């Protein structure tokens, strides 16, 4: 598997993971009444949306895409820091996206 496919797959997977976990935690927060709805929704769903938007935008505007991916990854790390694996995946996504060559037009 070449690096560009790995980068795309990990970035897509991280974005979908953040959105899915954010929806699940938001539903749990509403049902249990524990609070924290805006934290879970904002960090995970917001971060995942930024990662996915950066993935889409990176083909036309590489710097904007990279910025969105980096900010979205950092947002999701705040809520998933206790897992240790997801933050490492987020760091890998950021590093791979920053090392990706820009296409010259």
């Amino acid at each position: 598997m070449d690096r560009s496919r790995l980068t795309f797959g990990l970035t897509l997977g991280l974005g979908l993971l953040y959105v899915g976990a954010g929806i699940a935690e938001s539903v749990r927060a509403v049902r249990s009444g524990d609070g924290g709805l805006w934290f879970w929704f904002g960090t995970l769903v917001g971060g995942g949306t930024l990662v996915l938007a950066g993935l889409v935008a990176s083909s036309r505007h590489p710097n904007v895409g990279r910025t969105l991916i980096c900010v979205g990854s950092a947002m999701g790390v705040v809520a998933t820091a206790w897992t240790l694996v997801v933050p490492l995946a987020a760091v890998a996504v950021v590093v791979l996206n920053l090392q990706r060559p820009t296409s010259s037009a």
Side-chain angles (χ1 to χ4, degrees):
M1 177 179 273
D2 63 340
R3 182 172 260 185
S4 63
R5 288 185 61 189
L6 177 67
T7 302
F8 179 81
L10 282 175
T11 306
L12 179 64
L14 183 69
L16 293 175
L17 176 71
Y18 278 175
V19 171
I23 291 170
E25 285 293 338
S26 297
V27 168
R28 184 207 51 83
V30 168
R31 285 188 165 183
S32 68
D34 290 347
L37 172 66
W38 295 112
F39 171 75
W40 294 113
F41 190 81
T43 57
L44 289 173
V45 175
T49 302
L50 287 177
V51 169
L52 295 174
L55 190 62
V56 170
S58 64
S59 63
R60 295 189 124 199
H61 306 287
N63 290 332
V64 172
R66 286 180 179 151
T67 302
L68 291 173
I69 290 169
C70 291
V71 170
S73 295
M75 284 176 64
V77 165
V78 173
T80 60
W82 61 274
T83 65
L84 299 179
V85 174
V86 178
L88 290 175
V91 168
V93 163
V94 168
V95 169
L96 286 171
N97 277 287
L98 290 177
Q99 289 180 347
R100 188 180 63 217
T102 57
S103 58
S104 58

